[in-house]
Amino acid sequence: MKVYIDESGNLGGLGAKVSEEDPYFILAALITGEDLPIKRCIRDVRQTLKKKHRVLSELKFNQSSDPSKRRILECVAKTNSNIAYIFLRKDQAAFLSHYHGIEPHIIYSNLYKQLLYGIIHKYEFPHEAVEIIIDRFLYGAAQERFDNYLANGLMKSINVSHLDSKQCPCLQATDFIAGAIARKYRDNDNLYYNKIQHKIIMSLEFFESK
């Protein structure tokens, strides 16, 4: 079992009056036992693109046409995989009060841990180590601290890989999932979310009703 994780948004401006364009942070996970069907989803859509777009280093939700978004999400939804995610409103006082004065990278780590903790307990992995693949955003010592934090916090044997999404079609597929979820919350548009909704096994929402 592999867990691919990507994000939409960032944690800048936490607790402040956030802009209407960037009010949310989302971590999305694609959980799969077999990579090949996911890779085929990306490959098949790439082959339908015009030649000048086909040579792009990677497919990304925000840079793709509506037909490409639909095809990839519909294809992923037909595979033997599942989805989990965390959604955070960046101005949520109840959640953020625990992190007053703490650096954003600490909050990043904690959100990753919460997402993975939920997934691991949902699946109840018996003995095997959990393979976690993250779109690379840390390097060197910071990456090592992050990995150790996850391993210690999850109390589970894990193998963490930090990969460039350009070389990982499954991370590209996860980017489309994160984009579809972000579209639901940011634009109140369920068009893409509805295509994957039946694959969602867990959603953690840090959201205070207004």
Side-chain angles (χ1 to χ4, degrees), residues 26-78:
I26 292 162
L27 274 183
L30 175 62
I31 307 136
T32 181
E34 188 178 3
D35 287 354
L36 187 57
I38 306 293
K39 292 178 179 178
R40 284 174 175 161
C41 292
I42 298 296
R43 181 201 64 192
D44 291 349
V45 169
R46 182 183 288 277
Q47 290 177 346
T48 68
L49 301 177
K50 293 180 180 179
K51 187 175 182 180
K52 64 177 181 180
H53 299 299
R54 204 180 307 154
V55 297
L56 294 174
S57 56
E58 64 178 317
L59 298 183
K60 295 188 72 68
F61 181 86
N62 288 335
Q63 298 170 4
S64 295
S65 66
D66 286 343
S68 292
K69 291 172 183 175
R70 289 197 300 270
R71 289 181 191 129
I72 286 177
L73 292 169
E74 288 169 357
C75 182
V76 170
K78 293 176 182 176

Side-chain angles (χ1 to χ4, degrees), residues 57-170:
S57 56
E58 64 178 317
L59 298 183
K60 295 188 72 68
F61 181 86
N62 288 335
Q63 298 170 4
S64 295
S65 66
D66 286 343
S68 292
K69 291 172 183 175
R70 289 197 300 270
R71 289 181 191 129
I72 286 177
L73 292 169
E74 288 169 357
C75 182
V76 170
K78 293 176 182 176
T79 65
N80 185 24
S81 58
N82 289 305
I83 294 167
Y85 71 89
I86 277 181
F87 161 70
L88 168 67
R89 268 191 67 109
K90 290 165 56 176
D91 60 353
Q92 298 303 284
F95 174 75
L96 297 172
S97 62
H98 300 290
Y99 297 98
H100 181 68
I102 296 178
E103 294 293 327
H105 70 86
I106 302 291
I107 307 176
Y108 265 108
S109 300
N110 186 265
L111 290 172
Y112 270 89
K113 183 183 75 173
Q114 290 193 53
L115 178 63
L116 287 164
Y117 182 87
I119 292 170
I120 288 170
H121 283 265
K122 191 83 173 177
Y123 276 86
E124 297 181 348
F125 296 97
H127 305 294
E128 61 180 306
V130 182
E131 299 287 336
I132 301 165
I133 301 93
I134 297 171
D135 193 3
R136 183 182 293 142
F137 67 98
L138 293 172
Y139 297 86
Q143 186 179 108
E144 185 176 351
R145 286 194 298 270
F146 176 86
D147 293 353
N148 290 337
Y149 176 84
L150 290 183
N152 294 333
L154 295 171
M155 300 296 291
K156 172 71 180 177
S157 178
I158 61 173
N159 296 320
V160 184
S161 301
H162 300 256
L163 302 181
D164 186 338
S165 56
K166 294 183 178 66
Q167 279 76 52
C168 184
C170 292

